[in-house]
């Protein structure tokens, strides 16, 4: 009986000694794992962080008329970005008069095959400002129509920053000027940009509310 009590007492003593040691080991193991996880987080590549939202939005289209652009399909911003500029414009209902004029002038291939250009694209409402008789006269005079349309094309990609105060040579050979800031820009002090910085496969488009006339 005394021997049994002695063995139980010995087991209790051993347990009392080993338990703190095992708890310490477990605590140390958890601490090591936490440290490892912290080290892994610190060593993660910087490019795994999300892109800066401000930088991501800097190249997006801007302007009040952009709200009327279809949200999806060929006429949306995403759809237009996949097509060359004349084709992209043909998918935008607000540019149908411009597209008709481009076709009459035989400029579809010229615009679609050009690289890194900027097009100032008048809306249907812009053409509607021209008296009907005068507009019909222009549409039926290929030489005059070509002169006017090529005056809306700059042979380089123009950024919104460059629009703030710029003079650009057009394909018609006469210069046009731009001025403004933020999301408010004028072309030749007469036409306002109503939806700007629209990407197509080969051009940047600034949709404007008036037709530009070369001097």
């Amino acid at each position: 009986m005394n021997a049994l009590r002695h063995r139980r007492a010995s087991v209790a003593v051993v347990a009392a000694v080993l338990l703190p040691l095992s708890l310490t080991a477990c605590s140390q193991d958890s601490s090591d794992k936490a440290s490892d996880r912290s080290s892994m987080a610190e060593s993660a590549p910087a490019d795994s962080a999300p892109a800066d939202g401000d930088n991501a939005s800097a190249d997006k289209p801007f302007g009040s008329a952009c709200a009327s652009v279809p949200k999806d399909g060929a006429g949306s911003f995403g759809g237009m970005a996949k097509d060359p500029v004349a084709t992209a414009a043909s998918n935008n209902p607000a540019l149908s008069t411009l597209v008709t004029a481009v076709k009459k002038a035989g400029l579809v291939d010229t615009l679609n095959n050009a690289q890194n250009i900027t097009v100032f694209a008048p809306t249907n409402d812009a053409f509607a400002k021209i008296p009907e008789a005068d507009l019909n006269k222009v549409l039926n005079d290929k030489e005059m129509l070509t002169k006017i349309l090529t005056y809306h094309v700059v042979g380089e990609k123009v950024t919104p920053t460059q629009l703030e105060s710029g003079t650009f040579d057009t394909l018609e050979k006469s210069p046009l000027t731009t001025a403004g800031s933020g999301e408010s820009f004028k072309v030749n002090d007469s036409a306002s940009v109503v939806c700007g910085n629209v990407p197509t496969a080969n051009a940047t488009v600034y949709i404007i509310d008036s037709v530009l006339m070369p001097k």
Side-chain angles (χ1 to χ4, degrees):
M1 190 72 172
N2 289 335
L4 179 60
R5 286 177 181 165
H6 181 72
R7 282 198 298 273
R8 286 177 178 173
S10 298
V11 170
V13 170
V14 171
V17 171
L18 292 180
L19 181 60
L21 292 176
S22 64
L23 291 176
T24 299
C26 289
S27 175
Q28 182 63 40
D29 183 60
S30 298
S31 177
D32 289 344
K33 288 181 179 179
S35 177
D36 289 344
R37 285 194 297 269
S38 176
S39 298
M40 289 173 65
E42 290 176 359
S43 62
D47 59 7
S48 64
D52 187 335
D54 291 337
N55 291 338
S57 64
D59 294 329
K60 290 183 178 179
F62 63 84
S64 58
C66 291
S68 64
V69 174
K71 301 301 180 186
D72 50 38
S76 66
F77 292 130
M80 291 178 71
K82 297 176 183 178
D83 291 321
V85 65
T87 302
S90 71
N91 293 320
N92 188 321
L95 301 176
S96 59
T97 305
L98 173 63
V99 172
T100 297
V102 168
K103 289 178 179 178
K104 279 183 170 289
L107 293 173
V108 172
D109 289 341
T110 299
L111 294 177
N112 277 349
N113 293 327
Q115 295 298 317
N116 298 321
I117 60 175
T118 296
V119 176
F120 293 91
T123 62
N124 295 344
D125 290 340
F127 280 100
K129 293 179 181 180
I130 303 173
E132 187 175 359
D134 293 341
L135 179 58
N136 288 335
K137 181 180 179 180
V138 170
L139 290 175
N140 289 296
D141 185 334
K142 186 174 181 179
E143 183 178 351
M144 183 184 299
L145 184 59
T146 299
K147 182 178 179 69
I148 291 172
L149 292 176
T150 53
Y151 184 63
H152 289 73
V153 183
V154 172
E156 62 179 289
K157 281 198 174 183
V158 178
T159 66
T161 300
Q162 290 175 297
L163 286 185
E164 293 178 1
S165 179
T167 299
F168 306 97
D169 291 329
T170 66
L171 297 192
E172 188 271 334
K173 304 302 183 185
S174 300
L176 60 76
T177 61
T178 61
S181 62
E183 296 186 358
S184 178
F185 296 98
K186 286 275 193 181
V187 185
N188 285 355
D189 293 324
S190 60
S192 296
V193 174
V194 294
C195 183
N197 206 32
V198 178
T200 71
N202 67 325
T204 299
V205 176
Y206 292 92
I207 300 174
I208 55 178
D209 65 357
S210 296
V211 176
L212 306 174
M213 293 295 181
K215 296 179 181 179

